[in-house]
Amino acid sequence: MRSAHTVEQVRAAEGELMARLPDGVLMQRAAAGLAYAVIDLLGGAYGRRVLLLVGSGNNGGDALYAGVLLARRGCLVDAWLLSDRAHEAGVAALRAAGGRVVRFDVRRGAPSTARPDVVVDGIVGIGGRGGLGNEAVAALAAVPGVPVVAVDVPSGVGVDTGELDGEHVRADVTVTFGTHKIAHLVDPAAAACGVVQLVDIGLDLPPAPVEALQPGDVAALLPRPRPDAHKYTRGVVGVRSGSAAYPGAGLLSVAGAATGLCGMVRYVGDRAVADRVREAHPEVVGEGRVQAWVVGSGGGEHAGRELAEALDEGVPVVVDADALAHVSGRLGVPAVLTPHAGELAAMLGTGRADIEASPLAHARRAADELGAVVLLKGRHTLVAEPEGRVRATTTGVPWLATAGAGDVLGGLIGALLAAGLEPFDAASVGSWLHGAAATLASRGGPVVAGDVARHVAAVVRHLPSRA
């Protein structure tokens, strides 16, 4: 599991560890990991030019000591101090190693120096708030187009919220220490992090409020048939989606449900759509008992009725698309709601831009108010449960932003619910499989929704073996 902790959790763990270690050891561990990440990005050290942007906090100290190691490996290291206060021992050590240290003054402009090969962002650490100061903005503007390696987090992002408030660094690589932070997993801040590299510095951490499943986690959670299984013991999912106006939604919802993750799929809906479903998926049957329902995709004016009929059966339900407009409170059954930003904005009575600016806060709010698991679709889809725990999906490719992909996702989650997973696990495992299947189907090129459904089985086959 990739865990993302809060600033408070990290600081408490660092304090406990520093109490057991000699002074400066933790910073030296971080600096070493940072220096090796810079060398890896540059493809070597000797003769490379490195510019450190150094703030007043410990991130500036990490950058300075990394600069010492880089200078000893043959890099030409400059450090621009963006504050009158800097880590004094780090400054002295860098000067002793041959690095050049100058005070950056926004009124005088950038110091005279050759164009660097990389910029190390040691401006603001995990305690930073509210964007960047004028000196930092001017320093970054003086080196446009140079790759940036951020120390711990890109300076200026909301570390605990994943939000952006003002100017911020956009990194190519972020080197973080001890654990991931929420900003590494939650957009829009996560999009500013680039590739995130984790350096283990020996922290002992509590459970994280935000997680991201990894292949081993999915393998452990995925329901697998027992040797004596039959189609009913593996679970039956019902699909109420599609309409005469949107028949494709029904077909794609069924395609997601019929990927073999449960024992049987039942389709209940428009007769013309049912005929097309049976033609495309002859294994799908009609009405009968189910362990979970998928409702809403392409349902149009009938979505409210379909949702009410599904809820009457008292089994878990996945509520998507048109059916979301009929959710105004707690549904009375275990539920997964799967809105995109616009749909969640309508449900919460706010604007889409508000949701996109702070998806974590809004997903948590919706889960709490509606008493359901909320899957908020996005580049990093978020799955929030009413108790506040969140999982971020980091699989997928931009090509997955295609019509019908959400219909397939709803079917996948419904199958996992029917197979016995709790809503939080069903939503997060389904989202992970959906993104991984899109990546496999894409191979760097375009995909359509049907391709995603067809590649789910291959993703499952390649998951790690369970112990």
Side-chain angles (χ1 to χ4, degrees):
M1 191 80 71
R2 184 175 295 168
S3 299
H5 291 83
T6 65
V7 172
E8 182 179 1
Q9 290 175 315
V10 172
R11 284 182 166 164
E14 287 177 342
E16 292 175 3
L17 183 57
M18 285 191 290
R20 304 194 304 268
L21 294 174
D23 287 346
V25 169
L26 207 58
M27 183 170 285
Q28 293 296 339
R29 289 179 182 177
L34 176 60
Y36 284 121
V38 171
I39 292 170
D40 185 58
L41 177 66
L42 293 175
Y46 190 79
R48 307 304 203 279
R49 292 187 175 274
V50 178
L51 173 62
L52 313 177
L53 302 183
V54 180
S56 59
N58 286 340
N59 273 34
D62 295 336
L64 288 164
Y65 278 115
V68 171
L69 297 174
L70 292 168
R72 290 173 178 168
R73 294 286 297 270
C75 288
L76 305 173
V77 181
D78 287 282
W80 293 355
L81 306 186
L82 306 182
S83 168
D84 291 332
R85 293 186 299 112
H87 194 282
E88 292 183 6
V91 169
L94 180 58
R95 282 179 169 145
R100 188 174 72 133
V101 182
V102 297
R103 175 67 167 91
F104 180 88
D105 188 331
V106 68
R107 294 165 298 183
R108 297 176 184 171
S112 176
T113 184
R115 182 175 174 83
D117 298 304
V118 67
V119 171
V120 175
D121 161 28
I123 303 169
V124 180
I126 60 175
R129 297 288 186 275
L132 297 175
N134 292 335
E135 290 83 1
V137 172
L140 289 164
V143 284
V146 177
V148 175
V149 175
V151 182
D152 222 359
V153 291
S155 294
V157 306
V159 182
D160 280 351
T161 65
E163 298 170 14
L164 301 175
D165 182 15
E167 297 284 348
H168 63 278
V169 170
R170 182 168 291 275
D172 297 275
V173 176
T174 295
V175 182
T176 193
F177 312 114
T179 181
H180 289 83
K181 289 37 172 209
I182 292 171
H184 298 140
L185 298 182
V186 174
D187 281 334
C193 292
V195 176
V196 179
Q197 297 183 15
L198 177 63
V199 176
D200 183 4
I201 56 174
L203 299 185
D204 184 13
L205 291 153
V210 178
E211 303 168 332
L213 296 179
Q214 302 303 295
D217 306 312
V218 175
L221 289 168
L222 193 72
R224 296 177 185 269
R226 295 166 54 90
D228 59 350
H230 54 77
K231 60 190 176 187
Y232 295 112
T233 61
R234 292 191 58 210
V236 180
V237 63
V239 178
R240 293 176 175 268
S241 63
S243 61
Y246 304 104
L251 286 165
L252 291 168
S253 295
V254 168
T259 50
L261 297 175
C262 66
M264 181 185 288
V265 180
R266 298 184 182 275
Y267 179 78
V268 178
D270 183 270
R271 181 174 298 177
V273 178
D275 290 341
R276 294 181 62 176
V277 165
R278 282 191 291 270
E279 182 179 350
H281 302 279
E283 71 278 12
V284 174
V285 298
E287 293 190 48
R289 293 186 62 183
V290 301
Q291 279 72 56
W293 280 107
V294 179
V295 182
S297 299
E301 62 185 15
H302 304 300
R305 184 193 69 206
E306 296 286 5
L307 176 59
E309 291 178 359
L311 293 174
D312 283 344
E313 296 195 25
V315 299
V317 62
V318 179
V319 185
D320 189 27
D322 295 328
L324 291 167
H326 301 276
V327 177
S328 57
R330 295 172 182 259
L331 297 177
V333 301
V336 177
L337 314 180
T338 61
H340 55 58
E343 290 164 338
L344 188 61
M347 296 173 75
L348 295 179
T350 187
R352 181 179 186 128
D354 295 329
I355 304 293
E356 292 174 339
S358 53
L360 177 63
H362 286 96
R364 281 177 165 159
R365 174 189 160 192
D368 179 61
E369 291 181 2
L370 299 173
V373 169
V374 173
L375 182 152
L376 176 55
K377 299 169 186 173
R379 188 189 75 99
H380 280 189
T381 289
L382 299 180
V383 179
E385 64 174 358
E387 291 75 21
R389 190 167 50 137
V390 175
R391 285 180 181 152
T393 302
T394 56
T395 58
V397 289
W399 295 110
L400 185 52
T402 187
D407 304 331
V408 172
L409 175 60
L412 273 173
I413 296 170
L416 292 166
L417 278 176
L421 287 188
E422 294 298 316
F424 185 61
D425 287 337
S428 48
V429 170
S431 181
W432 190 97
L433 290 173
H434 187 251
T439 303
L440 184 60
S442 169
R443 292 183 174 87
V447 295
V448 295
D451 292 340
V452 178
R454 284 188 287 272
H455 281 77
V456 169
V459 170
V460 172
R461 281 196 298 273
H462 289 93
L463 287 173
S465 298
R466 293 198 294 194

